[in-house]
Amino acid sequence: SGGALPTGAGAMLAALKRSGLEVMFANPGTTEMCLVAALDSKGGAGVRPVLCLHENVVTGAADGYGRVTGKSACCLLHLGVGLTNGAANLHNANRAMTPVIVIVGEMATWHRGKDAPLEMDISAVAKTVAGKVSLSLTPDQLEKDAAEAALFVREFRASHSRVAVLIAPHDCQRERVTGTARYEFKEGYDNKDRTPFERALLLQKAFSASPPSPSSTPAQSSSPVAASAIVNWNTPFVWFPE
C-alpha cells in the first residue's frame, strides 16, 4: 500500500539517491534481487543501473566514472566471490582515492556461521581494498549504513581511501524497515568532488614541505613536495605517494 514502509533494499537505495548518487554499475545474483527490484520500482527512479558482464568491469567502470565526473560511484556485486573478482580495480580506486560505494549481497543472516556452500568472510576481503566496511544485520541498519557510506566517500582526505563496502544480507534487503527515520543530506550539496586545483591545495597542506624550486620537475621532486608541484605545473604528470 502507499503508506507501507519501504523494504531494507528500498530504504538503502533511497538514502543513496538522496546523497546525490546517480549511477549503479551492477553484476547481481540471487542475493541482490531485492535491490534489483528496488531499482526497477518507482522509488528507484533517479539511480540508473548499468549491467556489466564481469565484476572487474563493474569496479573498473565505477573507478573510471568517479575519476572523470568527480561524483560518487556505486557497485553492486554478488557475494564474497563477486567482491574478490572485482578487487583488482577496487584496489586501483582505493589508491586513487576515488569515491566508490560497493554493495555486496550476502546470503540471509540465518546462514551465517553454518558453513553454507557460498559463505565467505566478506569483511576480511573488503578491508584489503576499502577504508570503511559495514555489515548490516537489520533492514533499518541498511539505510543507516548506506547514508554513512555516502558521507564517507564524498569527504576528501589526503592519502586516505574513499571506498566504502556495504554488506547486505538477503533477508535484510527483503524485510521492511521498522523506523521512520530518514537520513537527509545538506541541501544544495551536489555530491561533486573538489576540482583538481582544490585537491592539490589540500594535498599541499597535508605536507610540511616548502614548494619545489623553479628548476625542479615533478619527477625529480620528492613525494612531500610533489603536491606543491601540482599547483604550479600546467602539464600532467603522475604522482606516486610514498
Short mmCIF file of all heavy atoms in Angstrom, two decimals, residues 58-92:
data_model
loop_
_atom_site.label_atom_id
_atom_site.label_comp_id
_atom_site.label_asym_id
_atom_site.label_seq_id
_atom_site.Cartn_x
_atom_site.Cartn_y
_atom_site.Cartn_z
N VAL A 58 32.62 -4.03 -13.59
CA VAL A 58 31.82 -3.22 -12.67
C VAL A 58 32.70 -2.25 -11.91
O VAL A 58 32.46 -1.03 -11.89
CB VAL A 58 31.04 -4.12 -11.68
CG1 VAL A 58 30.38 -3.28 -10.60
CG2 VAL A 58 30.00 -4.95 -12.40
N THR A 59 33.72 -2.79 -11.26
CA THR A 59 34.57 -1.95 -10.41
C THR A 59 35.44 -1.00 -11.23
O THR A 59 35.71 0.13 -10.81
CB THR A 59 35.43 -2.82 -9.49
OG1 THR A 59 36.17 -3.77 -10.28
CG2 THR A 59 34.56 -3.60 -8.51
N GLY A 60 35.87 -1.46 -12.41
CA GLY A 60 36.66 -0.58 -13.28
C GLY A 60 35.83 0.57 -13.80
O GLY A 60 36.30 1.72 -13.87
N ALA A 61 34.56 0.29 -14.16
CA ALA A 61 33.67 1.35 -14.63
C ALA A 61 33.39 2.35 -13.51
O ALA A 61 33.36 3.57 -13.74
CB ALA A 61 32.37 0.74 -15.14
N ALA A 62 33.18 1.85 -12.30
CA ALA A 62 32.92 2.74 -11.17
C ALA A 62 34.13 3.62 -10.87
O ALA A 62 33.99 4.83 -10.62
CB ALA A 62 32.54 1.92 -9.94
N ASP A 63 35.31 3.03 -10.91
CA ASP A 63 36.53 3.81 -10.68
C ASP A 63 36.68 4.89 -11.74
O ASP A 63 36.95 6.06 -11.42
CB ASP A 63 37.74 2.86 -10.68
CG ASP A 63 39.06 3.58 -10.42
OD1 ASP A 63 39.05 4.63 -9.75
OD2 ASP A 63 40.11 3.07 -10.88
N GLY A 64 36.50 4.52 -13.00
CA GLY A 64 36.63 5.50 -14.07
C GLY A 64 35.58 6.60 -13.99
O GLY A 64 35.89 7.77 -14.17
N TYR A 65 34.33 6.21 -13.68
CA TYR A 65 33.25 7.19 -13.55
C TYR A 65 33.56 8.18 -12.44
O TYR A 65 33.39 9.40 -12.60
CB TYR A 65 31.94 6.45 -13.27
CG TYR A 65 30.77 7.35 -12.95
CD1 TYR A 65 29.95 7.84 -13.97
CD2 TYR A 65 30.45 7.70 -11.65
CE1 TYR A 65 28.87 8.66 -13.70
CE2 TYR A 65 29.38 8.52 -11.35
CZ TYR A 65 28.58 9.00 -12.38
OH TYR A 65 27.51 9.81 -12.10
N GLY A 66 34.02 7.67 -11.31
CA GLY A 66 34.34 8.55 -10.19
C GLY A 66 35.47 9.50 -10.50
O GLY A 66 35.44 10.67 -10.12
N ARG A 67 36.48 9.02 -11.20
CA ARG A 67 37.63 9.88 -11.53
C ARG A 67 37.25 10.96 -12.54
O ARG A 67 37.68 12.12 -12.41
CB ARG A 67 38.77 9.03 -12.12
CG ARG A 67 39.37 8.03 -11.15
CD ARG A 67 40.69 7.53 -11.67
NE ARG A 67 41.07 6.25 -11.08
CZ ARG A 67 42.30 5.77 -11.10
NH1 ARG A 67 43.26 6.46 -11.67
NH2 ARG A 67 42.57 4.59 -10.56
N VAL A 68 36.46 10.58 -13.55
CA VAL A 68 36.15 11.53 -14.63
C VAL A 68 35.12 12.56 -14.19
O VAL A 68 35.26 13.75 -14.48
CB VAL A 68 35.64 10.76 -15.88
CG1 VAL A 68 35.09 11.73 -16.92
CG2 VAL A 68 36.76 9.93 -16.47
N THR A 69 34.08 12.13 -13.47
CA THR A 69 32.99 13.05 -13.11
C THR A 69 33.21 13.73 -11.77
O THR A 69 32.63 14.78 -11.51
CB THR A 69 31.65 12.29 -13.04
OG1 THR A 69 31.68 11.36 -11.96
CG2 THR A 69 31.36 11.57 -14.35
N GLY A 70 34.02 13.13 -10.89
CA GLY A 70 34.17 13.66 -9.55
C GLY A 70 33.00 13.35 -8.65
O GLY A 70 32.93 13.83 -7.52
N LYS A 71 32.06 12.53 -9.13
CA LYS A 71 30.89 12.16 -8.34
C LYS A 71 31.08 10.77 -7.74
O LYS A 71 31.91 9.99 -8.19
CB LYS A 71 29.64 12.16 -9.21
CG LYS A 71 29.32 13.49 -9.86
CD LYS A 71 28.10 13.37 -10.75
CE LYS A 71 27.78 14.67 -11.45
NZ LYS A 71 26.60 14.55 -12.35
N SER A 72 30.30 10.47 -6.71
CA SER A 72 30.36 9.14 -6.11
C SER A 72 29.82 8.10 -7.07
O SER A 72 28.78 8.30 -7.70
CB SER A 72 29.54 9.10 -4.82
OG SER A 72 30.05 10.01 -3.88
N ALA A 73 30.55 6.99 -7.18
CA ALA A 73 30.12 5.86 -8.00
C ALA A 73 29.61 4.75 -7.08
O ALA A 73 29.87 4.76 -5.88
CB ALA A 73 31.27 5.35 -8.85
N CYS A 74 28.89 3.80 -7.66
CA CYS A 74 28.36 2.71 -6.86
C CYS A 74 28.46 1.40 -7.63
O CYS A 74 28.26 1.37 -8.85
CB CYS A 74 26.90 2.97 -6.48
SG CYS A 74 26.21 1.76 -5.32
N CYS A 75 28.80 0.33 -6.91
CA CYS A 75 28.87 -1.02 -7.49
C CYS A 75 27.89 -1.93 -6.77
O CYS A 75 27.66 -1.77 -5.57
CB CYS A 75 30.27 -1.63 -7.31
SG CYS A 75 31.60 -0.68 -8.02
N LEU A 76 27.35 -2.90 -7.48
CA LEU A 76 26.52 -3.95 -6.88
C LEU A 76 27.12 -5.29 -7.28
O LEU A 76 27.17 -5.62 -8.47
CB LEU A 76 25.07 -3.85 -7.35
CG LEU A 76 24.10 -4.89 -6.79
CD1 LEU A 76 24.02 -4.81 -5.27
CD2 LEU A 76 22.71 -4.72 -7.41
N LEU A 77 27.59 -6.05 -6.27
CA LEU A 77 28.29 -7.31 -6.52
C LEU A 77 27.62 -8.46 -5.77
O LEU A 77 26.91 -8.26 -4.79
CB LEU A 77 29.76 -7.19 -6.10
CG LEU A 77 30.57 -6.09 -6.80
CD1 LEU A 77 31.95 -5.97 -6.18
CD2 LEU A 77 30.69 -6.37 -8.29
N HIS A 78 27.88 -9.67 -6.24
CA HIS A 78 27.24 -10.88 -5.72
C HIS A 78 28.19 -11.67 -4.82
O HIS A 78 29.18 -12.23 -5.29
CB HIS A 78 26.79 -11.75 -6.89
CG HIS A 78 26.12 -13.03 -6.51
ND1 HIS A 78 25.08 -13.09 -5.62
CD2 HIS A 78 26.35 -14.31 -6.90
CE1 HIS A 78 24.67 -14.35 -5.48
NE2 HIS A 78 25.44 -15.11 -6.24
N LEU A 79 27.90 -11.63 -3.52
CA LEU A 79 28.62 -12.44 -2.53
C LEU A 79 30.12 -12.10 -2.47
O LEU A 79 30.61 -11.21 -3.16
CB LEU A 79 28.43 -13.93 -2.82
CG LEU A 79 27.00 -14.45 -2.78
CD1 LEU A 79 26.94 -15.87 -3.31
CD2 LEU A 79 26.46 -14.40 -1.36
N GLY A 80 30.84 -12.81 -1.62
CA GLY A 80 32.27 -12.58 -1.46
C GLY A 80 33.05 -12.92 -2.71
O GLY A 80 34.08 -12.30 -2.99
N VAL A 81 32.58 -13.90 -3.47
CA VAL A 81 33.27 -14.28 -4.69
C VAL A 81 33.22 -13.14 -5.71
O VAL A 81 34.20 -12.84 -6.38
CB VAL A 81 32.65 -15.56 -5.29
CG1 VAL A 81 33.32 -15.92 -6.61
CG2 VAL A 81 32.78 -16.72 -4.31
N GLY A 82 32.06 -12.49 -5.80
CA GLY A 82 31.95 -11.36 -6.72
C GLY A 82 32.84 -10.21 -6.30
O GLY A 82 33.47 -9.55 -7.15
N LEU A 83 32.93 -9.95 -4.99
CA LEU A 83 33.82 -8.92 -4.49
C LEU A 83 35.26 -9.25 -4.82
O LEU A 83 36.04 -8.38 -5.24
CB LEU A 83 33.64 -8.76 -2.98
CG LEU A 83 34.59 -7.78 -2.29
CD1 LEU A 83 34.40 -6.36 -2.81
CD2 LEU A 83 34.40 -7.82 -0.78
N THR A 84 35.63 -10.51 -4.65
CA THR A 84 37.00 -10.93 -4.95
C THR A 84 37.31 -10.75 -6.43
O THR A 84 38.40 -10.29 -6.80
CB THR A 84 37.20 -12.40 -4.55
OG1 THR A 84 36.89 -12.55 -3.16
CG2 THR A 84 38.64 -12.84 -4.77
N ASN A 85 36.35 -11.09 -7.29
CA ASN A 85 36.56 -10.92 -8.73
C ASN A 85 36.76 -9.45 -9.11
O ASN A 85 37.45 -9.15 -10.09
CB ASN A 85 35.38 -11.49 -9.51
CG ASN A 85 35.39 -12.99 -9.57
OD1 ASN A 85 36.39 -13.63 -9.27
ND2 ASN A 85 34.27 -13.57 -9.96
N GLY A 86 36.16 -8.55 -8.36
CA GLY A 86 36.28 -7.13 -8.67
C GLY A 86 37.35 -6.40 -7.88
O GLY A 86 37.48 -5.18 -7.99
N ALA A 87 38.12 -7.14 -7.09
CA ALA A 87 39.05 -6.50 -6.16
C ALA A 87 40.17 -5.73 -6.84
O ALA A 87 40.65 -4.73 -6.30
CB ALA A 87 39.65 -7.55 -5.22
N ALA A 88 40.61 -6.17 -8.03
CA ALA A 88 41.75 -5.51 -8.68
C ALA A 88 41.47 -4.03 -8.94
O ALA A 88 42.28 -3.16 -8.61
CB ALA A 88 42.10 -6.23 -9.98
N ASN A 89 40.31 -3.74 -9.51
CA ASN A 89 40.00 -2.34 -9.79
C ASN A 89 39.55 -1.58 -8.55
O ASN A 89 39.65 -0.35 -8.51
CB ASN A 89 38.95 -2.24 -10.90
CG ASN A 89 39.57 -2.38 -12.28
OD1 ASN A 89 40.64 -1.83 -12.54
ND2 ASN A 89 38.91 -3.11 -13.16
N LEU A 90 39.07 -2.27 -7.54
CA LEU A 90 38.80 -1.59 -6.27
C LEU A 90 40.12 -1.18 -5.61
O LEU A 90 40.19 -0.16 -4.93
CB LEU A 90 37.99 -2.49 -5.34
CG LEU A 90 36.52 -2.67 -5.72
CD1 LEU A 90 35.84 -3.61 -4.74
CD2 LEU A 90 35.80 -1.33 -5.76
N HIS A 91 41.14 -2.00 -5.80
CA HIS A 91 42.48 -1.62 -5.31
C HIS A 91 42.92 -0.33 -5.99
O HIS A 91 43.45 0.59 -5.33
CB HIS A 91 43.48 -2.74 -5.59
CG HIS A 91 44.90 -2.36 -5.29
ND1 HIS A 91 45.44 -2.42 -4.03
CD2 HIS A 91 45.88 -1.89 -6.09
CE1 HIS A 91 46.69 -2.00 -4.05
NE2 HIS A 91 46.99 -1.68 -5.30
N ASN A 92 42.70 -0.24 -7.31
CA ASN A 92 43.06 0.99 -8.03
C ASN A 92 42.28 2.18 -7.50
O ASN A 92 42.84 3.26 -7.30
CB ASN A 92 42.79 0.81 -9.53
CG ASN A 92 43.70 -0.22 -10.17
OD1 ASN A 92 44.78 -0.52 -9.65
ND2 ASN A 92 43.27 -0.78 -11.29
#
